[in-house]
Amino acid sequence: TTGRPWMIAKWAMTLDGKIAAIDGSSQWITGPEARAAVHALRGRVDAIVVGRGTVERDDPLLTARPAGARTATRIVLDAGANLPLTSKLARTAGEAPVLVAAASDAPAERVAALRSRRIEVLLLPGADRGARLETLLNELGRRQTTNVLVEGGSAVLGSLLACGAIDEVFAFVAPKLLGGAAAPGPVGGPGLATIAHAVPLKRLELSCLGPDLLLRGHVAPGVCAR
């Protein structure tokens, strides 16, 4: 109906809503049962999206272990095409697809370096992340990408919330407290002005995964955060 993929926002957080400590550490907030559920989720989607900041901070592999029914294309939102060639994503591009979604004015030498490593670079028009995200979602729909898992960071999730592009949420909650005003929460960006504008979730499911909880829900149809 939309010509775009179903967008799943996923995060792991402490009970007080933190996805990392003040020093940036985030491994591991949740336990092995929750991490196994994430791998199962990765194994059934067509693509996994992260921002370049997440790659630089965590150096994730973003594959399903063990492998699932599908092999997801690993997409990095990286305006300047600065994905490190030493990252796990770059070093495994021959094993599972990697796509860098860059701005149309990304340096040509950086684009060429990534393409030399069998990484697809998609140059997107638009002056800001929101505009480029809209173009990317349309392109993924054109490629018949049906399900996309967004694993962060908070700026990426905030941009998707702002453009009304989140369809489903998987929130893993650990019974831990971190505190700290500077410790980040899962969804960044400008946020919504008042509680009346908060985006509601429907079809809620709550399950226990070892010591952790998984709250899963769909964004109410027709809701747009803009």
Side-chain angles (χ1 to χ4, degrees), residues 127-217:
D128 56 40
R129 171 179 274 169
R132 291 191 294 271
L133 268 175
E134 296 276 1
T135 304
L136 175 62
L137 295 181
N138 289 334
E139 173 61 19
L140 292 176
R142 188 190 68 78
R143 297 185 184 197
Q144 299 186 333
T145 302
T146 57
N147 294 272
V148 175
L149 176 63
V150 185
E151 295 208 25
S154 62
V156 173
L157 290 168
S159 295
L160 287 170
L161 179 69
C163 66
I166 296 176
D167 297 300
E168 187 173 7
V169 170
F170 278 69
F172 296 86
V173 184
K176 301 174 182 177
L177 301 174
L178 266 177
V187 183
L192 305 177
T194 70
I195 195 66
H197 294 161
V199 175
L201 297 182
K202 304 295 185 181
R203 298 175 60 184
L204 295 177
E205 298 177 12
L206 183 65
S207 54
C208 294
L209 298 169
D212 306 312
L213 297 177
L214 167 61
L215 178 63
R216 177 182 178 183

Side-chain angles (χ1 to χ4, degrees), residues 3 9 20 28-29 40 52-53 69 82-83 107 112 138 151 157 171 188 190 214-215 219:
W28 297 101
I29 287 177
R52 184 168 60 87
N82 290 312
L83 177 69
N138 289 334
E151 295 208 25
L157 290 168
L214 167 61
L215 178 63
V219 173

Side-chain angles (χ1 to χ4, degrees), residues 8-224:
I8 304 168
K10 166 262 170 185
W11 62 79
M13 67 180 184
T14 60
L15 188 60
D16 56 340
K18 307 298 183 180
I19 61 169
I22 294 172
D23 66 357
S25 61
S26 60
Q27 296 181 341
W28 297 101
I29 287 177
T30 53
E33 296 89 349
R35 296 199 294 274
V38 172
H39 282 288
L41 181 57
R42 288 176 177 176
R44 69 171 180 82
V45 298
D46 296 319
I48 300 170
V49 174
V50 296
R52 184 168 60 87
T54 296
V55 175
E56 291 183 343
R57 182 179 63 251
D58 298 336
D59 194 20
L61 193 56
L62 300 180
T63 55
R65 302 183 295 278
R70 304 183 186 185
T71 299
T73 297
R74 299 167 294 171
I75 300 175
V76 182
L77 305 182
D78 181 6
N82 290 312
L83 177 69
L85 299 181
T86 56
S87 66
K88 291 177 182 176
L89 291 176
R91 289 189 283 111
T92 60
E95 302 168 21
V98 177
L99 185 153
V100 170
S104 56
D105 60 353
E109 64 274 12
R110 290 297 311 161
V111 173
L114 293 175
R115 287 173 172 166
S116 72
R117 299 295 185 93
R118 293 193 287 180
I119 296 170
E120 180 182 2
V121 181
L122 185 62
L123 299 176
L124 303 172
D128 56 40
R129 171 179 274 169
R132 291 191 294 271
L133 268 175
E134 296 276 1
T135 304
L136 175 62
L137 295 181
N138 289 334
E139 173 61 19
L140 292 176
R142 188 190 68 78
R143 297 185 184 197
Q144 299 186 333
T145 302
T146 57
N147 294 272
V148 175
L149 176 63
V150 185
E151 295 208 25
S154 62
V156 173
L157 290 168
S159 295
L160 287 170
L161 179 69
C163 66
I166 296 176
D167 297 300
E168 187 173 7
V169 170
F170 278 69
F172 296 86
V173 184
K176 301 174 182 177
L177 301 174
L178 266 177
V187 183
L192 305 177
T194 70
I195 195 66
H197 294 161
V199 175
L201 297 182
K202 304 295 185 181
R203 298 175 60 184
L204 295 177
E205 298 177 12
L206 183 65
S207 54
C208 294
L209 298 169
D212 306 312
L213 297 177
L214 167 61
L215 178 63
R216 177 182 178 183
H218 290 193
V219 173
V223 171
C224 181

